[in-house]
Amino acid sequence: MKTEIRPLLMCFALCVVYATSKPTEKKDRVHHETPLSSKEHDDGTNFDYDHDAFLGEEEAKTFDDLTPEESKNRLGKIVDKIDADEDGFVTEAELKAWIKKAQKKYIYDNVERQWKDFDMNNDGMISWDEYKNVTYGTYLDDPEPDDGYNYKQMMARDERRFKMADGNGDHIADKEEFTAFLHPEEYEHMKDIVVLETMEDIDKNGDGFIDLEEYIGDMYNHEDEMDEPEWVSTEREQFSEFRDKNKDGKMDKEETMDWILPADYDHAEAEAKHLVYESDTNKDGKLTQEEILNKYDLFVGSQATDFGEALVRHDEF
């Protein structure tokens, strides 16, 4: 059994250190959606934003040195992957799903790096027992370690999350389920567990709600300071005016979800609509591979793309 602290334990430990060592620095519990690209979205200048959005920033760079023929060839293979139901058309929904996956590549890469550590029998799946033994092996050998962590509570919390991620309830996770376990904030069906874990962290009196004192106490450790930073006063106002929607002096589950998982503007959906609008020659609301390849410079880059020509074709459509 391995003795090092595994990723989730390390995360827990860092959160404890963070909360106690930086009294003036605000802890942010809100899960913000990452922009599709750092570049400006202006099709009148270039399609760099669209390339980053469609492929992911790192993957988009790999097209820059390709000829148009090579770019089209690679794009054609990607289109086949996007067409999930294999009906010969790419819908807006399929494009949106592809963009979201391309944007989360760093998450999938992270899971790939960890996968071999947990899949002990190399069967392509990770059971709860495998995860438990690798992560909590030392604790299972010594149920009362003297390091200040409540491993029993942490293991029970992990098992609850594992069960939530395990769609078919067999206590065994495939790669997508394990990704949901490690990164629950990225999955719609895992949002309740993210809210529950957050409330458990902050709700010190155990009444099932987050009051103002608990809300501020989670962000700010005031023991070592005489004067509160200005942002603390602002957060008190945020709690009273916006977080506590029903004005009962505390946040319930729904109010906590609105706080940490806000319904942000859906950038992937907007980009999918944009790509379909710009490429859908016959305006039937879906794209054929031919329509996409005809607008390959919108989707992917190449070393020989003539942007002037692209704009001419753009105007023709």
Side-chain angles (χ1 to χ4, degrees), residues 166-180:
D166 173 26
N168 59 9
D170 62 359
H171 254 55
I172 299 173
D174 59 22
K175 198 154 289 183
E176 191 69 12
E177 289 169 335
F178 194 62
T179 303

Side-chain angles (χ1 to χ4, degrees), residues 12 15-16 19 26-31 153 157 160 193-220 235 239 243 249-253 255-257 259-261:
F12 176 85
C15 287
V16 172
K26 178 182 175 183
K27 185 198 297 186
D28 190 1
R29 294 256 184 196
V30 181
H31 297 277
Q153 182 182 35
R157 180 160 152 158
R160 182 181 63 191
I193 205 74
V194 176
V195 173
L196 180 58
E197 290 178 1
T198 301
M199 294 188 75
E200 288 175 344
D201 288 342
I202 303 174
D203 176 22
K204 301 304 182 185
N205 63 13
D207 67 349
F209 298 92
I210 298 174
D211 59 34
L212 176 58
E213 183 179 349
E214 291 167 334
Y215 176 78
I216 296 298
D218 179 63
M219 300 178 181
Y220 171 61
E235 282 299 334
F239 182 92
R243 310 278 184 244
K250 54 194 177 183
M251 285 195 294
D252 57 23
K253 176 183 173 183
E255 290 167 331
T256 302
M257 180 175 287
W259 166 41
I260 66 171
L261 296 167

Side-chain angles (χ1 to χ4, degrees), residues 39-55:
K39 300 179 178 68
E40 184 179 358
H41 194 185
D42 181 4
D43 285 355
T45 305
N46 57 56
F47 296 136
D48 291 346
Y49 177 96
D50 299 296
H51 299 164
D52 285 358
F54 179 68
L55 296 166

Side-chain angles (χ1 to χ4, degrees), residues 11 16 22 30 60 76 79 96 112 114-116 151 173 189 191 204 229 253-254 260 262 269 280 291 317:
C11 178
V16 172
K22 295 188 176 181
V30 181
V79 172
K96 175 183 173 181
E112 285 292 342
Q114 296 192 49
W115 184 265
K116 61 181 180 297
Y151 290 104
H189 71 283
K191 286 186 175 181
K204 301 304 182 185
K253 176 183 173 183
E254 287 72 24
I260 66 171
E269 181 175 311
D280 184 15
E291 286 176 320
F317 287 131

Side-chain angles (χ1 to χ4, degrees), residues 139-281:
Y139 162 72
L140 296 172
D141 290 338
D142 178 13
E144 297 183 2
D146 187 22
D147 59 7
Y149 295 120
N150 186 339
Y151 290 104
K152 182 177 182 180
Q153 182 182 35
M154 293 164 68
M155 188 165 66
R157 180 160 152 158
D158 273 358
E159 184 173 16
R160 182 181 63 191
R161 188 198 284 190
F162 195 96
K163 288 179 178 178
M164 180 72 77
D166 173 26
N168 59 9
D170 62 359
H171 254 55
I172 299 173
D174 59 22
K175 198 154 289 183
E176 191 69 12
E177 289 169 335
F178 194 62
T179 303
F181 169 68
L182 291 180
H183 300 276
E185 70 282 352
E186 302 294 340
Y187 290 80
E188 189 69 31
H189 71 283
M190 297 294 290
K191 286 186 175 181
D192 283 345
I193 205 74
V194 176
V195 173
L196 180 58
E197 290 178 1
T198 301
M199 294 188 75
E200 288 175 344
D201 288 342
I202 303 174
D203 176 22
K204 301 304 182 185
N205 63 13
D207 67 349
F209 298 92
I210 298 174
D211 59 34
L212 176 58
E213 183 179 349
E214 291 167 334
Y215 176 78
I216 296 298
D218 179 63
M219 300 178 181
Y220 171 61
N221 179 3
H222 57 78
E223 293 177 0
D224 300 326
E225 295 198 356
M226 296 295 291
D227 299 320
E228 284 187 352
E230 186 174 338
W231 66 260
V232 176
S233 176
T234 301
E235 282 299 334
R236 292 183 190 280
E237 294 177 5
Q238 288 286 317
F239 182 92
S240 300
E241 295 181 20
F242 302 106
R243 310 278 184 244
D244 177 19
K245 290 181 167 54
N246 62 5
K247 309 303 179 187
D248 64 353
K250 54 194 177 183
M251 285 195 294
D252 57 23
K253 176 183 173 183
E254 287 72 24
E255 290 167 331
T256 302
M257 180 175 287
D258 289 342
W259 166 41
I260 66 171
L261 296 167
D264 291 332
Y265 175 75
D266 195 327
H267 296 280
E269 181 175 311
E271 180 64 12
K273 288 180 182 296
H274 171 66
L275 293 176
V276 170
Y277 176 80
E278 294 294 342
S279 310
D280 184 15
T281 309

